[in-house]
Every structure is written in structure tokens, then in C-alpha cells.
Amino acid sequence: MNDTVSTATSAKPRHTAPPPVERVAALRWMRENLFNSPINSMITVILVLALVFALPDFVQWALFQSVWTGDHEACRAATGACWAVVGEKHRPMLFGVYPFEEHWRLILALIVYLSVIAATLTPAFWKIKILVPMWVLNLAISLTLMWGGVFGLKPIETSQWGGLPLTMVLFTGTVVFGSPLAVLLALGRRSHLPGIKSVCVVLIESLRGVPLITILFVAVNVFPLFLPEGLELDKLLRVMAGMAIFFACYQAEVIRGGLQAVPRGQIEAAEALGLSYWQLMRRIVLPQALRICLPGLVNHIIAAFKNTSFVLIIGLFDILTATTAVMEDPVWRIFFVEAYLFVAVIYFCFCFALSKYSQLVERWLSEGRRF
Amino acid sequence: MAEPQDTAPPATDSPKGDTSILNSMAFRGVAYQVLLAVFVVLGGLYLYINVNANLERQGIATGWGFITENAGFDIGESPIPYDSEDSYGFALWIGVLNTLRVAFVGIILATILGVFMGIARTSRNWLLSKVASIYVEVCRNVPVVLHVLFWATVVRFLPHPKQAISPFEGAYLMNRGVIFPIPNEHPAYVWVGLAFVLGVIGAVVLGRWAQRRREATGQYIPTFWYGCAIVVGMPLAAWLVQGAPLTWNVPELKGFNFQGGLAMSPEYAALVVGVTVYTAAFIAEIVRAGIQSVPHGQIEAARALGLRPGFIMRYVTMPQALRVIVPPTASQYLSLTKNSSLGVLIGYPDLVNVGNTTLNQTGQAVEAIAIMMIVYLSISLTISTFMNVYNKLVAIKER
């Protein structure tokens, strides 16, 4: 508390001359931040009263009266939250219908995967020579662990993949396949060739105008009809392709915004130097454009992570589908609040961390260019 | 992809003219476009042939004939009468109406909640701004699917009608939905509505007149408050003149369920609450960014000129903030409308739900999904057209 008090007061000094009269900094802080006008005082009182009424009950429910271990009967006997449902059901919630005795493979894959993500977010690793091999290795290890069939691992069909690893697979596939497509669509939309521009505009605008669900329906119901007889494509792959194209259309619009913000003189200078179109884009325009639209890019990457939950409708077992299926259990189903909160916390941690991280990167990037 | 050429003339041909035509920008541009066109046409043809072959093999009919056929399934709720004898086309129309019902109410509620939370986040009251930012961060970072699913399950576990929760007199929450009291219909209300419309017109006329007067004489009239007085006062007066008729249609428990009042199905309530709470968090962020985008110096300058706070809000802050707020808010409205398709998840008969049933019954996936896409595309285009017009109105006129 002292920390926030001192930063809050030091951040915005209101008057420079006299030192604070009050001996207690907290009192001064309260006067400035909670009771700085009659209306604000009233709002503060109302909010404090509401918190006083609600908070103790909530704490009682969530902590003191709650059940952390035990079976459903212990939960029914208690008046508080039943966190035991997470302990009891976390395996099927996190890993879906993947064979129980093989779960260690998924845990290992998740550890590898998450550490690579953590490394990717660290500036020390921001070199193509490190990033590309690292990701290739990461995908190879994670997918081998999940698929099996080699090194004496039991082969597991993708239809049995589930839970958090499936969410991660969908998310990764969407971003990895979607991002290059997004760049191409954005460039195409800015192209001066009417034929290419119109194809890109129609694709982007029509896919942005429909819900993701309809695209998933296309991937599941219509796409198989596109293929010649005898040829089949894995459902997971089809869904991933649909999500990647959907993601690319939104991301393309963000990138287009960035492209428009690159000063015209930069392009003219590069053309005067005789750079070809692709050299111009790769070396001059895109690095600046992507830097400008970074916040938007991260927003849509976060959205892509949240959008993986739409697969619930078409019956792929991501973490939300798995949880919903688990909560059909008649013995445990009344404790759905706790189960959904658990899943919500997982989504929240990932998305919140990513958005905080993007703010950090924005600060890093703006440090070198104070003008 | 292509090699779009920024400078118009094809300047790459060398003076000697010995370079190949392949190096000509103009030629390449045409070539790329022809290639793309050929690819699109041939690809489309190939897919079309495959689809037809596959459908024939599976014995699935094609074409739009099914639209006039008997649907044969019931729809849980519909704003206009429907029964299973009606056609597929009519069933899909009910789906469209149900989607619009969610989108319309959701957009209004999300705007109210979002603007309130956005202003609360910029409040100088530390507690209020913290409460608002916790709301925004929590709701924004959890998928909308989870929101909708959560509320649907909450509604499912509400008590039976006999033990319904009553937040205030006459309103009930239960596992059959939410039910409110509404005023009984009365012929006087037509006049009240008419008075309201007249009041709005009057307020607009007053605003125009006051602005002209201000520009001519420099005298300021607080048109906002007068306008509010007219908009509220006219219907009130009309209502009082006709003897202030007011009786409530209060829901009553009869047997196992409630009769009367305005009822919302549990699915509808869950879907509206879910998409509203989610979208409002985004709108709150947009509103906050809009308010904070107005440089503080502008407000200080306006104060130094001696302008009143209301005037500053109306003529300095709002025009600049709205310019930032309107375009992203429009896309939030669009995404709310599209997210209302989550009705299929919780059994609310929206367009996707009805379309999905149609798809399963007829097997005509291509046509059913095409209908859904076309309808959503039209809704999206309509909303974005309206918002573009509004955006033109609020955009700052430059030169």
C-alpha cells in the first residue's frame, strides 16, 4: 500500500511550493484521490459501503467456507466454494479425452512450448537465427510428444487431442499460418493493380462481415465437399485453416493502417535507390509499419487466443469444451461456477500477461525514438 | 503477389530498347493480374466440380428449393407467430429476427454500460477508477464464449418459479427466464409517444436556433438543459393532460409459471447479458482512450477563455473525443452482432441455430451456410453504413 501511495503522490505533484501539512501521507493521499470533490466523496462512500457489504461474504465463500480437498459430499455439506472440483477434475479439464496414462507427454509438451514462448518474448532471443530454429525444434518436439508413433511413444489420433494443449495448437496454428497471409493481404489491398486489390478487398471485407462460427461451419461441413473423392483432410487442420484465414483478414486491416502511416518519402527514397518492390517492402516499409501497428497486432493475437474457444460449437475438445463436458457429470455439475472460474483464470492469465507485455514492448520501442 | 508500381510511367525500359518485355513494370502488372484471375477462375471451377460430384455421390439435393418446403421443427421463441408447418424460409426469417432482437438490445445496453465504465475509468476518484479498470480487464481477457456459457449455466441453476428471486417488486429471476412488470396498454400512450417525437424535434430546432443566435450575438443559452426539459416535459404533459393513466401488468404466479408482465427466456437473457458484459468492456476502453486523447491544454485554454464547463464539454471535449470513439465503437457493434451467433451454443434460436437445424435436416450445407453468411454480411454492411454516416457528422471538418 505504501508503494502505491508514494508513487501516486510523486507522479503528479499538484502544487510545488509547501511540503505536505499532514504528517500521515495516507491521509493526504485519501484527500486527494478519494474526497477531492463533494461528488467524489459521495461515490467513495457508496462504493466503500457496497464493498463492506459484498466483500466479507465473497471472502467467506471463496476462502474460509470453501472446500479444497475431498469429494462432492464434503462440497455439498459446506456453504462456500467447492475448489475440490478443480482438484478432482483438472486432468480431464486440462487434457480432454487424451489417454490418462499418457498425460505426462502433454505436460512435457506444454513445458517446452511455454518456455519457448517465454524465450520468444525476451529481447535477447530476437534474432532470426535463433528464433526460427527454436520454433522449428519446439513444434517438432511438442507435436512428436502429442502425436507419438515414434521412439516407442503410443500413437494418438488428433481426434483424441484435447484441453489446454489443443487450445495452444489451435492458437499457434492460427497465428503462424495467419500472419504471413495477413501481410500478403494487406500489401495486396494497398496494391495499385486493380485486379489484385479487388480480390483482397472482397476477401477481407466479406470474411470480416461474417461471424467466426459460420467460417468454422464451412471448415467442418463444406470444406470436405471441395476435395475430390477419397481425399480427406484432418478436421483439426481444417478448423485451424479457417481460423487462420479469419485471423489474417482482421490482422491485414491492422497492418494496412501501419502501412499507411509510413512516410511517403521513405518509399520514394527507396525507389530512387532502385530497390525492387520486395526489397522495398521487406527492408524499408514493413519494419516501420509493423512497429507502428504493434498494439493492434497484439490485440488481434489475444483475440485469436480467445477465439479458439469457438471450437466448442463444432465439437473439438479445447479446454472450454473439455470443461463443459466434465461439468455434465451429475454429481459435480452444481459446482460449475468454480470450474468455469478456473478456466477463466487460465484465459485471463494468458491474455492479461500478453497485453501487459505489449505495453512493455511499446515502451521499449519508443525509448530509442524520442523526438 | 504483385509488383504494384507506385510511380505511374513504366520507366524501366532502357533507352536502347534491348531489355526484355519481362522487365516492363506495366507488362508484369498485367501478367500478375491475369495469373491471379486464371487461378481464381480455375480454382473456383475445380471446387464447383468437386462439390457437385460429392453431393451427387452422397445423394444430397442442390438448389434453393428447400426454402419453400415444410420446416417441421419448432422454434423455442419467436417475435411473430410460427409453427412447424411453416417453411424453412420463414423459419430462417424468425432466426434473423431473433438475432436482431439480441443485437439491438445488446448494443444499447453495452453502450450504456461501456460509456459509464469508460468515464468511471478516467474519474479522479481512485476507488471508482480502480473498480472500473478491474471490470474492464477481467471481462476483456475472458473469451465471450465463456461469458455466454457462464451466464447460461447461471440462469439454468436459478430457482424454480415458485422460489423465484425478486430483486424488486414485480420482477422475478428464475430458471424459466426473467420477467418484469410493464404498464398496461392505454390509448393515451399513442399521444405520449407523439409528444415525445415532437419534443425531440423541438429540442433540435431549439438547438439550431440557439447556435445561430450565439454566432450572431454571442449570447449563450444552455440548450442542453432546455432540450432535456422539452424532450421529457412534452410527453409528461401529454400524459398528465389525459388524466395520468397508469396501471401495471404485474406478473403473477399461476400454477407452475408466471402470467403477464414482460418475459424474457433464459437463453435470451443469458445471451444478452453475456455479449453485453463482454462488449461493454471494450467500449469502456474506447471511451477512456477517446476522453484522454483530448489534450489537456485545450480544456485549460477553454477555461482560460472563461467558457462554462458544460460548454467546454459540448464544444471542446466531445467533438474531439467522438472523432476517436466512433469508428472503433462501430466495429464493436459489429462484433456484438456477430457474437450473438453464440445463441447456437445455448439453444437460443438465432439465425445460426435455425440455419444449423436446417443444415442438419436437409443436408444442404452449402446453401444453409451461404444464407447465414449473406444475412450477416448484410447486417454488417447496414450497421457500418449507418456508423459511417454518423462518423461523417462527428468528424472534424478540415478545410
Side-chain angles (χ1 to χ4, degrees):
Chain A
M1 196 58 195
N2 264 331
D3 262 10
T4 49
V5 170
S6 61
T7 48
T9 45
S10 64
K12 30 181 171 172
R14 301 217 177 280
H15 33 70
T16 43
V21 185
E22 281 112 329
R23 287 285 165 79
V24 191
L27 277 182
R28 184 184 156 190
W29 178 85
M30 280 169 68
R31 194 166 51 94
E32 283 186 350
N33 291 292
L34 296 177
F35 301 101
N36 44 15
S37 74
I39 290 181
N40 270 343
S41 307
M42 218 163 69
I43 294 173
T44 305
V45 170
I46 292 171
L47 280 176
V48 166
L49 282 180
L51 285 179
V52 165
F53 271 111
L55 213 55
D57 280 352
F58 178 75
V59 173
Q60 285 285 334
W61 175 82
L63 296 176
F64 297 122
Q65 305 288 325
S66 61
V67 180
W68 291 81
T69 53
D71 58 2
H72 62 95
E73 275 163 12
C75 280
R76 277 167 208 268
T79 52
C82 174
W83 302 115
V85 68
V86 176
E88 173 79 17
K89 297 287 187 188
H90 71 279
R91 285 289 202 95
M93 273 155 84
L94 285 175
F95 301 125
V97 290
Y98 205 82
F100 191 83
E101 59 282 4
E102 307 285 336
H103 279 180
W104 63 270
R105 283 159 55 178
L106 295 181
I107 297 172
L108 205 61
L110 272 180
I111 291 173
V112 171
Y113 183 85
L114 290 177
S115 20
V116 167
I117 286 208
T120 310
L121 299 182
T122 318
F125 289 87
W126 288 357
K127 289 185 189 89
I128 293 288
K129 275 183 194 157
I130 301 178
L131 279 183
V132 171
M134 190 168 76
W135 270 93
V136 170
L137 207 65
N138 171 30
L139 292 180
I141 295 175
S142 307
L143 289 177
T144 313
L145 278 168
M146 290 180 75
W147 243 311
V150 284
F151 309 126
L153 294 170
K154 200 172 138 205
I156 312 281
E157 290 286 312
T158 58
S159 57
Q160 285 184 290
W161 292 10
L164 192 56
L166 186 81
T167 301
M168 290 295 177
V169 165
L170 279 170
F171 168 64
T172 316
T174 306
V175 175
V176 168
F177 294 125
S179 300
L181 190 61
V183 172
L184 289 182
L185 281 174
L187 291 179
R189 193 170 180 169
R190 295 263 294 156
S191 163
H192 291 248
L193 305 174
I196 285 164
K197 184 175 177 176
S198 52
V199 168
C200 291
V201 169
V202 168
L203 191 67
I204 292 174
E205 291 305 329
S206 52
L207 289 193
R208 268 159 39 97
V210 299
L212 178 57
I213 293 181
T214 55
I215 293 176
L216 296 183
F217 278 159
V218 169
V220 173
N221 293 314
V222 179
F223 194 84
L225 298 174
F226 285 155
L227 299 177
E229 198 184 341
L231 195 63
E232 266 184 50
L233 203 59
D234 189 69
K235 184 178 177 185
L236 179 60
L237 214 56
R238 277 183 274 147
V239 168
M240 204 191 279
M243 294 182 108
I245 295 172
F246 187 75
F247 168 76
C249 289
Y250 279 86
Q251 203 70 303
E253 285 297 279
V254 176
I255 297 173
R256 185 167 70 111
L259 291 175
Q260 280 172 352
V262 175
R264 180 103 192 105
Q266 297 270 334
I267 299 165
E268 283 163 359
E271 275 172 351
L273 288 173
L275 296 194
S276 79
Y277 177 78
W278 288 112
Q279 280 173 327
L280 164 70
M281 284 304 161
R282 204 163 61 82
R283 304 236 176 239
I284 311 290
V285 176
L286 279 177
Q288 299 185 61
L290 294 181
R291 175 187 279 227
I292 292 168
C293 62
L294 186 82
L297 293 178
V298 176
N299 273 346
H300 282 291
I301 290 177
I302 294 174
F305 186 75
K306 288 185 290 176
N307 279 347
T308 56
S309 56
F310 275 81
V311 297
L312 174 55
I313 293 151
I314 47 153
L316 280 181
F317 265 74
D318 79 324
I319 183 165
L320 195 53
T321 320
T323 305
T324 311
V326 165
M327 292 323 285
E328 293 299 317
D329 183 341
V331 173
W332 291 97
R333 61 189 295 179
I334 60 164
F335 306 112
F336 70 95
V337 173
E338 291 85 341
Y340 281 146
L341 276 180
F342 172 65
V343 180
V345 165
I346 293 178
Y347 278 111
F348 177 82
C349 288
F350 194 88
C351 299
F352 187 69
L354 212 53
S355 70
K356 285 287 152 205
Y357 172 79
S358 96
Q359 289 169 7
L360 194 70
V361 173
E362 263 173 76
R363 225 168 314 143
W364 289 341
L365 289 179
S366 63
E367 253 165 24
R369 30 174 40 225
R370 287 209 189 102
F371 42 72
Chain B
M1 193 79 24
E3 199 141 332
Q5 215 227 21
D6 280 333
T7 47
T12 42
D13 298 282
S14 88
K16 288 174 196 162
D18 60 351
T19 42
S20 141
I21 189 173
L22 286 175
N23 284 341
S24 150
M25 281 286 203
F27 173 77
R28 280 204 198 183
V30 173
Y32 285 131
Q33 294 185 71
V34 169
L35 274 180
L36 185 70
V38 169
F39 175 76
V40 168
V41 170
L42 285 187
L45 203 64
Y46 175 71
L47 295 183
Y48 180 75
I49 292 169
N50 275 342
V51 168
N52 271 346
N54 282 322
L55 288 177
E56 202 169 316
R57 197 161 40 82
Q58 295 173 13
I60 297 171
T62 53
W64 303 95
F66 72 95
I67 284 185
T68 53
E69 277 169 29
N70 212 336
F73 57 85
D74 281 317
I75 293 180
E77 57 185 303
S78 84
I80 49 176
Y82 164 88
D83 68 78
S84 55
E85 300 286 302
D86 283 315
S87 68
Y88 280 115
F90 192 66
L92 289 165
W93 174 239
I94 303 286
V96 174
L97 292 180
N98 277 336
T99 291
L100 291 178
R101 220 151 59 92
V102 172
F104 184 73
V105 173
I107 283 175
I108 291 173
L109 294 181
T111 310
I112 295 170
L113 185 61
V115 169
F116 176 77
M117 285 292 175
I119 293 173
R121 270 199 93 174
T122 60
S123 161
R124 278 181 58 210
N125 186 321
W126 181 85
L127 197 58
L128 184 63
S129 78
K130 278 289 168 270
V131 168
S133 63
I134 289 174
Y135 163 79
V136 167
E137 292 299 350
V138 167
C139 290
R140 206 160 66 121
N141 286 315
V142 171
V144 61
V145 183
L146 188 47
H147 277 283
V148 170
L149 210 56
F150 179 81
W151 290 109
T153 323
V154 167
V155 175
R156 195 146 55 101
F157 280 90
L158 281 175
H160 293 285
K162 288 204 166 166
Q163 289 99 39
I165 303 166
S166 182
F168 57 88
E169 188 60 39
Y172 297 96
L173 301 169
M174 57 190 155
N175 62 2
R176 299 272 182 89
V178 182
I179 195 159
F180 296 105
I182 47 166
N184 276 320
E185 276 179 39
H186 191 280
Y189 291 153
V190 179
W191 294 103
V192 173
L194 216 61
F196 174 76
V197 173
L198 278 178
V200 171
I201 296 172
V204 170
V205 169
L206 176 77
R208 292 266 169 83
W209 174 78
Q211 190 175 354
R212 271 205 304 277
R213 193 175 123 95
R214 199 188 70 240
E215 280 161 7
T217 66
Q219 278 176 323
Y220 171 65
I221 301 167
T223 42
F224 179 76
W225 298 110
Y226 287 141
C228 284
I230 295 175
V231 170
V232 177
M234 294 267 293
L236 202 66
W239 181 63
L240 287 174
V241 162
Q242 296 184 60
L246 181 66
T247 53
W248 289 91
N249 181 358
V250 181
E252 276 174 58
L253 189 63
K254 282 188 182 146
F256 290 108
N257 212 344
F258 280 91
Q259 304 273 312
L262 179 69
M264 289 193 289
S265 74
E267 296 86 12
Y268 179 78
L271 190 57
V272 167
V273 172
V275 294
T276 299
V277 166
Y278 180 74
T279 313
F282 286 88
I283 294 181
E285 266 305 271
I286 294 167
V287 169
R288 179 190 64 84
I291 291 173
Q292 287 178 348
S293 76
V294 180
H296 202 65
Q298 299 241 355
I299 293 155
E300 282 167 356
R303 275 203 208 120
L305 288 173
L307 300 185
R308 295 150 203 265
F311 197 89
I312 297 176
M313 189 50 136
R314 172 72 187 79
Y315 288 99
V316 181
T317 313
M318 282 313 263
Q320 302 189 70
L322 276 182
R323 191 170 54 151
V324 177
I325 290 172
V326 168
T329 305
S331 63
Q332 285 307 320
Y333 288 171
L334 290 179
S335 84
L336 186 146
T337 308
K338 286 180 272 172
N339 284 337
S340 72
S341 59
L342 285 170
V344 67
L345 194 64
I346 58 172
Y348 175 73
D350 76 320
L351 174 63
V352 171
N353 199 349
V354 176
N356 199 26
T357 313
T358 307
L359 189 161
N360 288 333
Q361 286 196 3
T362 61
Q364 290 187 261
V366 181
E367 288 87 348
I369 293 172
I371 290 176
M372 291 182 217
M373 287 187 152
I374 290 167
V375 169
Y376 275 106
L377 214 50
S378 334
I379 296 175
S380 297
L381 288 178
T382 314
I383 294 182
S384 63
T385 313
F386 273 116
M387 291 308 282
N388 278 341
V389 169
Y390 182 67
N391 193 29
K392 283 230 176 67
L393 289 178
V394 298
I396 283 184
K397 275 67 178 182
E398 289 177 341
R399 282 188 285 277

